Amino acid sequence: MFSTNFIVYTNPVGKGRPKFRRVGNFVSAYTPKKTVTQEQEIAKVAKAAMGNEEPLETPLTVCIYFRMPIPKSYSKKLTKDCLDGFERHLKKPDLDNMAKLVLDSLNGIVYKDDSQIVNLHLRKVYAETPAIEVIVAEDL
């Protein structure tokens, strides 16, 4: 049974909605720069973690752990509460939007398509070092 895991040290962001612009009589759509940059960063780390392995084609379990930055304006007590798990991250970005960005980034690298995911575990917590931790395992 194959599994892989990796950590991307970045400030997690949610998948941005497509933006539109008019050029003359034409309207074109584009993906926000923040989204593209983070997708590329995640894909790069995922490729390194996969090594020479081909993308998986089996049912999968994916666990994604989002470590969110603690605002600099928080007091020492509130910062401690964040790190101890008493203060929860109830702000944007939304958990589902962050997960969508990560899952789309792994398409064609870790798995053929994200439709193979049959089990998904997500969590966002405050941490001293912002990061995204990903675990992908075959669910046979």
Side-chain angles (χ1 to χ4, degrees):
M1 188 159 86
F2 180 84
S3 71
T4 187
N5 64 303
F6 56 89
I7 299 175
V8 182
Y9 292 97
T10 184
N11 190 0
V13 298
K15 180 138 182 146
R17 298 188 187 276
K19 306 286 185 193
F20 299 92
R21 67 175 157 231
R22 179 180 296 269
V23 180
N25 291 332
F26 300 98
V27 175
S28 64
Y30 66 96
T31 304
K33 186 174 181 176
K34 262 181 156 176
T35 299
V36 172
T37 301
Q38 189 146 102
E39 284 178 336
Q40 290 171 343
E41 199 173 342
I42 293 167
K44 180 181 168 186
V45 176
K47 283 178 188 170
M50 287 297 286
N52 293 329
E53 293 289 328
E54 289 294 315
L56 301 168
E57 297 186 49
T58 55
L60 302 169
T61 291
V62 177
C63 301
I64 309 172
Y65 190 67
F66 296 98
R67 300 178 193 167
M68 307 304 292
I70 300 169
K72 293 185 187 325
S73 62
Y74 278 15
S75 67
K76 286 183 181 180
K77 183 193 179 321
L78 192 52
T79 297
K80 184 178 179 341
D81 286 348
C82 288
L83 295 173
D84 291 342
F86 297 118
E87 184 72 24
R88 306 301 273 284
H89 191 282
L90 303 176
K91 303 172 183 162
K92 291 192 180 282
D94 298 348
L95 186 60
D96 58 331
N97 289 337
M98 292 188 301
K100 181 70 175 152
L101 186 142
V102 172
L103 297 175
D104 287 351
S105 301
L106 303 180
N107 264 342
I109 298 169
V110 177
Y111 41 75
K112 290 277 186 189
D113 189 74
D114 54 6
S115 64
Q116 295 166 238
I117 299 168
V118 297
N119 201 353
L120 180 62
H121 299 275
L122 304 171
R123 185 168 176 96
K124 74 175 177 174
V125 297
Y126 283 113
E128 288 180 357
T129 305
I132 303 168
E133 184 174 354
V134 180
I135 302 167
V136 180
E138 288 182 306
D139 193 327
L140 303 174

